[in-house]
């Protein structure tokens, strides 16, 4: 029997599906799209494991694009594999490796205000006599003491350089919403009257490096995320199409956001992938 959808749903579905012609690659946010993070590693969002397989089987290029900065990429990927996702380190674009490249290029020696789990990503770098501060989602390591130490390093420099791994406002774990790095980045900006350089979503360069990994042009790619500003808005700024999933940190008011309008809204990753893959075979 043919499923009867309300007229509005049919129209919206058709609208964004029509824009899919020429799609060659899919960029996926991880947290809130594949799984909900939290104590004990988190829980997969129903249908998302199968959706990843379906993209891979369809011949579309796939790259995961995360602002996750609590653990090294290797640790993070291991966790996702334990949750049943078929994902490898080279399929993940993440801020820490990107910032390491920048630090090397510019001969910067970082003072780190990051989660303990991320510190090994910076092992190869000279951290003596720091000439910049790198801030990431330090979670419980965002103590007054640690923030103040970073502040003192910055305020003592002639031209303070603050590099931030993302600028998210908050994110969601299984026990609720959590303040993200952006809130702390703003505190240091305010105290030192400076502007941070953001590495990670929604920075254009970050999406571009993910696209380069896939070898597709912005107009051939679609980003799927739960964050209307950082995933959807960031991707659109870079020339990609952006879909928002109604999972993770999604809130209904996102669909009336003051300056970001997603190319489409879907209930979850599985629904998005069904529509995208069907469209390929038209
Ligand atoms: C995992 O993904 C790779 C491509 O990234 C694919 O070749 C392989 O068949 C997948 N493995 C499973 C078990 O689906
Ligand atoms: C970071 O937090 C962990 C867990 O609370 C703690 O054991 C560690 O000492 C902290 N590290 C720093 C540098 O504050
Ligand atoms: C925009 C975005 O992807 N935000 C993510 C930032 O990082 C946390 C984890 O540290 C994720 O939960 C958010 O989804
Ligand atoms: Mg997310």
């Amino acid at each position: 029997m043919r499923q009867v959808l309300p007229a509005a749903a049919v129209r919206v579905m058709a609208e964004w599906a029509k824009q899919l012609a020429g799609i060659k690659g899919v960029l996926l946010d991880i947290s809130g799209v594949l799984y909900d993070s939290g104590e004990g590693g988190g829980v997969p969002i129903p249908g998302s494991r199968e959706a990843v397989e379906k993209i891979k089987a369809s011949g579309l290029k796939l790259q995961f694009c995360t602002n996750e900065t609590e653990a090294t990429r290797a640790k993070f990927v291991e966790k996702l594999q334990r949750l049943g996702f078929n994902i490898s380190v080279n399929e993940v674009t993440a801020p820490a490796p990107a910032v390491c490249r920048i630090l090397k290029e510019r001969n910067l020696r970082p003072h780190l205000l990051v989660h303990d789990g991320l510190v090994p990503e910076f092992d190869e770098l000279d951290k003596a006599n720091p000439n910049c501060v790198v801030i990431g989602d330090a979670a419980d390591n965002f103590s007054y003491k640690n923030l103040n130490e970073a502040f003192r390093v910055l305020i003592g420099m002639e031209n303070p350089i603050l590099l931030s791994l993302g600028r998210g406002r908050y994110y969601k774990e299984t026990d609720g919403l959590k303040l993200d790095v952006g809130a702390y980045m703003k505190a240091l900006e305010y105290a030192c009257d400076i502007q941070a350089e953001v590495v990670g979503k929604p920075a254009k360069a970050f999406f571009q490096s993910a696209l380069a990994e896939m070898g597709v042009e912005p107009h051939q790619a679609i980003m799927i995320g739960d964050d209307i500003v950082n995933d959807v808005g960031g991707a659109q700024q870079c020339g990609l199409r952006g879909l928002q999933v109604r999972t993770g940190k999604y809130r209904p008011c996102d669909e009336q956001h003051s300056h970001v309008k997603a190319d489409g809204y879907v209930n979850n990753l599985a629904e998005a992938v069904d529509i995208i893959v069907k469209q390929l075979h038209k």
Side-chain angles (χ1 to χ4, degrees):
M1 199 180 78
R2 199 163 146 265
Q3 203 187 345
V4 182
L5 288 168
V10 172
R11 180 165 46 78
V12 169
M13 220 177 194
E15 259 168 37
W16 76 262
K18 259 190 281 171
Q19 304 157 12
L20 287 169
I23 285 291
K24 294 211 167 80
V26 179
L27 266 184
L28 290 187
D29 173 39
I30 297 179
S31 178
V33 174
L34 299 189
Y35 80 116
D36 280 315
S37 55
E39 297 302 321
V43 284
I45 292 170
S48 57
R49 286 182 289 218
E50 296 77 7
V52 167
E53 294 311 323
K54 202 163 171 177
I55 298 171
K56 289 189 170 187
S58 75
L60 286 165
K61 295 275 170 58
L62 174 62
Q63 187 74 15
F64 300 90
C65 179
T66 182
N67 71 333
E68 155 65 42
T69 62
E70 268 198 25
T72 59
R73 246 187 332 173
K75 277 264 159 57
F76 184 52
V77 162
E78 255 171 50
K79 181 175 87 176
L80 290 163
Q81 287 170 345
R82 271 200 306 276
L83 291 175
F85 290 99
N86 179 11
I87 180 171
S88 62
V89 169
N90 58 10
E91 291 173 312
V92 178
T93 301
V99 92
C100 281
R101 271 197 306 276
I102 293 173
L103 294 170
K104 280 182 200 152
E105 274 166 23
R106 289 165 51 184
N107 287 315
L108 291 171
R109 298 177 304 276
H111 169 87
L112 300 175
L113 176 53
V114 300
H115 195 277
D116 277 358
L118 194 70
V119 172
E121 293 270 24
F122 299 89
D123 274 352
E124 296 172 19
L125 293 164
D126 180 9
K127 289 179 283 293
N129 189 19
N131 56 3
C132 74
V133 168
V134 171
I135 185 173
D137 177 17
D140 289 336
N141 289 117
F142 275 136
S143 61
Y144 177 79
K145 182 174 165 293
N146 289 346
L147 264 166
N148 203 49
E149 234 171 79
F151 162 70
R152 286 180 179 174
V153 170
L154 284 170
I155 206 80
M157 295 190 312
E158 202 177 324
N159 290 307
I161 300 175
L162 174 61
L163 291 157
S164 187
L165 301 171
R167 56 172 303 161
R169 292 191 167 109
Y170 53 87
Y171 55 91
K172 190 180 170 219
E173 294 205 327
T174 42
D175 60 346
L177 297 176
K178 304 269 168 100
L179 273 181
D180 202 351
V181 62
Y184 297 91
M185 175 197 91
K186 285 284 180 192
L188 291 177
E189 283 186 341
Y190 181 62
C192 305
D193 196 15
I194 56 169
Q195 190 117 53
E197 298 172 42
V198 178
V199 180
K201 292 179 286 188
K204 230 181 207 173
F206 193 65
F207 287 103
Q208 279 160 349
S209 71
L211 290 174
E213 288 291 328
M214 293 195 288
V216 309
E217 298 294 320
H219 69 274
Q220 300 171 321
I222 190 161
M223 168 79 202
I224 305 175
D226 63 327
D227 186 312
I228 185 70
V229 172
N230 295 299
D231 295 327
V232 176
Q236 288 175 336
Q237 290 280 317
C238 189
L240 288 83
R241 277 158 272 189
L243 284 187
Q244 190 181 19
V245 285
R246 298 188 182 103
T247 55
K249 71 171 74 162
Y250 164 86
R251 294 181 307 162
C253 63
D254 291 344
E255 295 188 35
Q256 272 85 47
H257 195 272
S258 59
H259 56 278
V260 183
K261 175 138 191 48
D263 290 282
Y265 302 88
V266 284
N267 288 326
N268 48 46
L269 180 64
E271 185 185 309
V273 171
D274 272 347
I275 295 173
I276 292 168
V277 169
K278 242 179 229 138
Q279 195 65 22
L280 279 182
H281 299 138
K282 272 208 168 148

